[in-house]
Amino acid sequence: MVRGWYIGSSGMNAQQNRLDTVANNLANVDTAGYKADTIISKSFPELLLRRGNDDGRYTGDFGSADNAPIVGKLGLGVETNENFTDFSQGSFRITDESTDFALGGKGFFAVQTPDGERYTRNGNFHLGKEGILETKDGYPVLGENGIIRLSDKKFSVNEDGVVLTKDDEIVDRMKVVRFDNERYLRKMGNSLWSSNNISGEAYIAEGNERPRMMQGYMETSNVNVVNEMVKMIEVNRAYEASQKTVQSEDSMMSTLWNKVALSR
């Protein structure tokens, strides 16, 4: 019976993690470049059930069985296995702002933070007081030769990411990077990502790997509101089912303690 408590409580914990993820996705439905998360769960190792009072021996042409023959399996609950990020392309929204950008394909903008180089899909930039192209949080956007500096908003960026002044002078090329295993990038908050040993180090995207740069556009979140609301209903129902399991186990244990134990 005690095992039933653990099974039910593990299910409740797993559904709570799913609910937190769904709530975070819905909260960021209007965040430019946001990528939705999905919780993946797995079952605990299953317990083999055996007939403890059966020696398992039988006659015939099949030899003999184990001393405690297996009669089935019992699951021991569920746990959160991975927080998986969906990197599918979001839709594009026209802003007609020269400092707004979207990437048409896989890849990330590179920005400079106090903790080192970080990466983002959110191209909602602006010009800082010193003419530095920055994110909304004030992090400088990087070109292949360093921080991008501009005199005013009258500049253009072609599809390859080359930044040109109003006089068609080349300033730099925006640093757009790819990773060997981008699904393992770590979310850092504020639409930023960091690399790790599993994702591999960032490398500048070239050729067919380089996404198309789109000036005057922003990539919207890839969160599907309808799907997330359906998931929220599913999570609530699954949580209630696990909760009832715990309550039933508690009721049976109460009966065992109050009736069976006291009757002896």
Side-chain angles (χ1 to χ4, degrees), residues 123-213:
N124 184 207
F125 304 140
H126 72 280
L127 278 184
K129 294 180 179 179
E130 298 179 358
I132 298 174
L133 189 64
E134 301 174 344
T135 67
K136 290 300 183 182
D137 297 303
Y139 300 133
V141 179
L142 295 176
E144 295 181 1
N145 297 312
I147 294 173
I148 297 177
R149 299 177 184 273
L150 299 161
S151 58
D152 53 45
K153 289 187 176 182
K154 295 180 180 180
F155 68 95
S156 62
V157 179
N158 63 23
E159 292 187 354
D160 193 45
V162 177
V163 182
L164 303 168
T165 66
K166 59 184 178 182
D167 298 322
D168 290 333
E169 295 179 357
I170 296 177
V171 176
D172 200 346
R173 188 171 78 148
M174 296 186 72
K175 187 175 181 179
V176 178
V177 301
R178 294 285 303 274
F179 300 87
D180 292 331
N181 297 295
E182 60 188 20
R183 63 162 291 189
Y184 295 108
L185 289 171
R186 181 183 175 190
K187 277 189 175 182
M188 304 300 295
N190 297 324
S191 299
L192 298 178
W193 303 79
S194 67
S195 60
N196 51 58
N197 293 334
I198 304 176
S199 68
E201 293 299 320
Y203 62 89
I204 296 176
E206 298 287 359
N208 294 332
E209 283 194 321
R210 189 173 181 86
R212 182 165 57 98
M213 185 73 65

Side-chain angles (χ1 to χ4, degrees), residues 44-60:
F44 288 141
E46 294 178 326
L47 175 68
L48 295 177
L49 300 181
R50 297 173 180 268
R51 291 198 296 265
N53 296 325
D54 191 337
D55 62 10
R57 298 188 180 280
Y58 48 82
T59 60

